[in-house]
Amino acid sequence: MLINGEWQEGREYFEVRNPYDGSLLRKVPLSSKLDVEDAVLSAKKAAAIMADLPAHKRSAILTNTSRLIENKKKEIAELITGESGKAIKYSTGEVERAIQTFQFAAEEAKQIHGETVPMDASPNSEKRFAFYQPFPIGIIGAITPFNFPLNLVAHKVAPALAAGNSVVLKPSSYTPLTSIRLAEIMMEAGLPKGALNIVFGGGSTVGEWIVENENLAMISFTGSPPVGKRIKERAGMKRVALELGSNSASVIEPDADIDRAIPRCIIGAFSNAGQSCISLQRIYIHEKIFDEFKGKFIGAVKKIKVGNPMETDTEYGPMIEEKEAVRAEEWIKEAVDRGAKVLWGGERKGGIIAPTVMTDVKRDMKVVCNEVFAPLVTLIQYREFEDALDMVNDSRYGLQAGIFTKDIHKALDSFKKLHVGGVIINDVPTFRVEHMPYGGVKESGTGREGVKFAIKEMMELKLIVFNL
Ligand code: NAP
């Protein structure tokens, strides 16, 4: 555990294992309630230090972190693949994204400022002068999932520190090792003691102790919708940002460039074994091009290499745990029993599910209406563009959607009508870069990440009025 800038042992430990070969990677301390309280106390002391640290110093720490991660790109990518099972090419991509996340945060740290208020606009304040300024909110409790163990931690820690806050982090119990490495790097980068504290353990214990702690100002959570709901219920008066899941969709219009859409849909549906919050789960294809798209898509799926995530040409490896693969297999079976067709895949070997393409699905099948979080995609025909948009909206989630069309009117129509946080034209919903506002509506969450936007959520506006 990292408390007050010191690495601490625990009374009990839990094992972190490689999901591909089951090998033991490391034992990690299981934090007690007292450890969590110590971590919060340490963050409380550091919050005052961070709030006093000038912007250029906060920026320098974040720039140093970005550079140090860049120097250790290969080592960190291998660590991510080891503990999460993510294919190495995508782990390398995740490290590259985290380098940018820290760099954007370094730049944004220098841009935080307020504005004057035109007080003479009201007859009641003619002779007054006022301005407001954002101040750090205090201690941020960051709780993160397994699927991006570096960059999703970066999307909380980097903006929190850029804003002048301190952090208590609880990473996923599947993937705590990348957080340990990141903290070592941040200390080398010059982070003040206690500005980042890390505790380990299950969500229902350590996670909830963080959520309920009165000293915290905000909980920033990324994970599943049921846990997000529970956190919101238990967080009291704290600010809560929730980045949750989805059953994201794409629409393929007849004027779309199919050969450009297919490789993007393959990545969108299958990278990281479908274990991404914006994984492509539903593809709505216009009836005029359905057969052509289906044929070309299956042709591309057949070429996907699944297996050892350390091999550079592997697209994806195992799911995080075998029980998750078993769950996905059961959902496939449930759909087949109700008349769905498996066009390709459907089999499971241990924790690995073959790339699976289904059609003839119904809107209330689990593979359509729930977040499948597995390498599985459904192909659904439509006739009218309006109907396709309605089907995309027919979801309790709303994170991002991808629309493939050359028609600007249809693009703008989808922007207006889709109930999501982001509409991606001529790409899959799975597209994300670090400085864009990112987040969902409905059960996909509240609040926005993307460095500049997260900083805003992690600060409080304060006003000063001079009576002249
Ligand atoms: P999860 O089961 O919800 O866990 C996420 C984190 O919450 C873990 O650290 C977990 O701890 C902790 N947790 C569990 N129960 C908790 C509780 N009662 N109180 C406080 N913390 C608790 O999610 P996951 O399986 O790791 O990740 C997959 C989910 O994350 C998917 O739904 C995916 O869509 C979503 N996700 C969303 C985004 C986004 O940006 N919108 C990005 C990535 C993933 P332990 O696991 O250690 O017990």
Side-chain angles (χ1 to χ4, degrees):
M1 289 170 279
L2 180 64
I3 298 175
N4 199 23
E6 309 287 339
W7 292 104
Q8 299 198 4
E9 300 296 325
R11 285 226 184 98
E12 288 176 76
Y13 283 76
F14 64 95
E15 294 179 340
V16 180
R17 289 188 176 271
N18 180 320
Y20 179 65
D21 60 17
S23 59
L24 176 66
L25 297 172
R26 189 164 163 179
K27 287 186 178 176
V28 171
L30 190 62
S31 303
S32 66
K33 195 164 186 192
L34 212 62
D35 295 326
V36 172
E37 283 164 9
D38 281 351
V40 172
L41 275 184
S42 145
K44 201 170 176 180
K45 273 190 254 156
I49 295 165
M50 285 303 293
D52 271 349
L53 206 63
H56 71 94
K57 289 197 176 158
R58 300 197 306 272
S59 176
I61 294 164
L62 295 161
T63 301
N64 292 345
T65 303
S66 178
R67 288 204 189 116
L68 287 167
I69 295 174
E70 188 151 29
N71 294 343
K72 300 174 204 311
K73 201 193 299 188
K74 187 167 180 290
E75 175 213 327
I76 301 172
E78 286 172 1
L79 190 59
I80 294 172
T81 292
E83 65 176 351
S84 72
K86 180 179 290 187
I88 191 74
K89 67 175 171 184
Y90 291 112
S91 296
T92 306
E94 184 178 344
V95 181
E96 282 161 358
R97 287 180 58 187
I99 292 166
Q100 292 190 40
T101 305
F102 278 100
Q103 193 49 46
F104 279 124
E107 289 160 19
E108 292 296 338
K110 293 185 180 175
Q111 304 299 328
I112 297 165
H113 62 89
E115 270 184 9
T116 54
V117 183
M119 296 304 276
D120 61 351
S122 164
N124 299 342
S125 55
E126 271 177 20
K127 296 223 173 307
R128 287 176 203 240
F129 170 71
F131 61 92
Y132 62 83
Q133 193 186 318
F135 283 83
I137 192 169
I139 309 172
I140 312 264
I143 301 178
T144 53
F146 72 83
N147 59 344
F148 287 84
L150 179 66
N151 200 36
L152 289 181
V153 171
H155 267 292
K156 303 196 181 308
V157 170
L161 300 174
N165 296 301
S166 63
V167 179
V168 175
L169 166 69
K170 190 207 89 64
S172 164
S173 304
Y174 292 116
T175 56
L177 305 184
T178 309
S179 292
I180 295 177
R181 194 71 190 97
L182 175 64
E184 287 168 351
I185 287 171
M186 295 205 77
M187 290 196 294
E188 193 183 332
L191 190 69
K193 277 188 173 188
L196 171 62
N197 303 273
I198 312 184
V199 286
F200 303 109
S204 57
T205 51
V206 178
E208 298 211 354
W209 296 331
I210 293 175
V211 169
E212 288 168 0
N213 193 295
E214 294 289 327
N215 290 298
L216 270 63
M218 176 175 176
I219 300 295
S220 175
F221 172 76
T222 299
S224 58
V227 174
K229 269 191 202 167
R230 186 172 166 85
I231 286 178
K232 194 142 195 227
E233 281 161 14
R234 301 179 82 90
M237 294 298 284
K238 296 178 194 75
R239 196 174 287 177
V240 177
L242 300 175
E243 296 288 340
L244 311 177
S246 75
N247 59 349
S248 294
S250 266
V251 175
I252 320 282
E253 270 287 280
D255 67 350
D257 181 341
I258 293 186
D259 295 322
R260 195 173 151 206
I262 292 214
R264 294 301 297 161
C265 290
I266 293 285
I267 291 175
F270 301 113
S271 60
N272 205 16
Q275 299 168 117
S276 157
C277 45
I278 33 177
S279 191
L280 177 57
Q281 185 173 330
R282 301 174 288 155
I283 310 183
Y284 296 100
I285 307 153
H286 193 275
E287 61 181 10
K288 272 195 213 154
I289 51 160
F290 187 82
D291 287 337
E292 183 192 356
F293 184 93
K294 184 175 78 174
K296 287 184 170 173
F297 189 69
I298 299 289
V301 172
K302 287 179 183 170
K303 294 189 193 131
I304 292 177
K305 186 182 157 194
V306 178
N308 185 346
M310 279 296 182
E311 289 170 11
T312 51
D313 56 347
T314 296
E315 186 67 18
Y316 71 83
M319 295 184 62
I320 192 70
E321 258 204 305
E322 189 169 334
K323 72 172 171 39
E324 287 299 315
V326 170
R327 172 194 54 81
E329 191 184 30
E330 283 167 7
W331 289 15
I332 295 168
K333 192 173 171 306
E334 182 234 36
V336 170
D337 289 348
R338 292 184 54 204
K341 265 196 213 120
V342 174
L343 294 172
W344 190 260
E347 313 87 36
R348 176 181 69 85
K349 205 171 161 197
I352 296 185
I353 293 261
T356 301
V357 186
M358 301 187 78
T359 194
D360 294 345
V361 290
K362 297 189 178 70
R363 60 176 291 282
D364 60 345
M365 290 175 175
K366 284 181 184 156
V367 293
V368 176
C369 66
N370 286 1
E371 179 181 33
V372 72
F373 222 56
L376 185 163
V377 68
T378 55
L379 307 186
I380 301 158
Q381 276 194 56
Y382 70 87
R383 186 169 291 165
E384 300 296 334
F385 185 61
E386 286 294 314
D387 295 342
L389 297 186
D390 286 346
M391 286 191 282
V392 173
N393 279 337
D394 181 19
S395 168
R396 59 177 185 276
Y397 307 110
L399 199 43
Q400 296 202 134
I403 309 293
F404 288 86
T405 181
K406 293 195 183 98
D407 184 335
I408 185 72
H409 301 286
K410 285 185 174 154
L412 291 174
D413 208 27
S414 63
F415 185 45
K416 194 169 162 195
K417 291 183 179 152
L418 290 177
H419 303 151
V420 291
V423 177
I424 316 293
I425 304 300
N426 289 322
D427 209 341
V428 281
T430 328
F431 170 81
R432 182 181 181 187
V433 286
E434 317 324 308
H435 57 310
M436 70 187 220
Y438 176 77
V441 298
K442 300 193 270 183
E443 290 191 26
S444 291
T446 55
R448 292 292 177 270
E449 287 198 339
V451 177
K452 178 171 134 184
F453 307 92
I455 288 176
K456 204 171 161 206
E457 301 214 356
M458 292 172 171
M459 302 196 83
E460 200 84 80
L461 291 184
K462 204 194 290 180
L463 170 79
I464 183 163
V465 183
F466 294 85
N467 190 1
L468 302 172

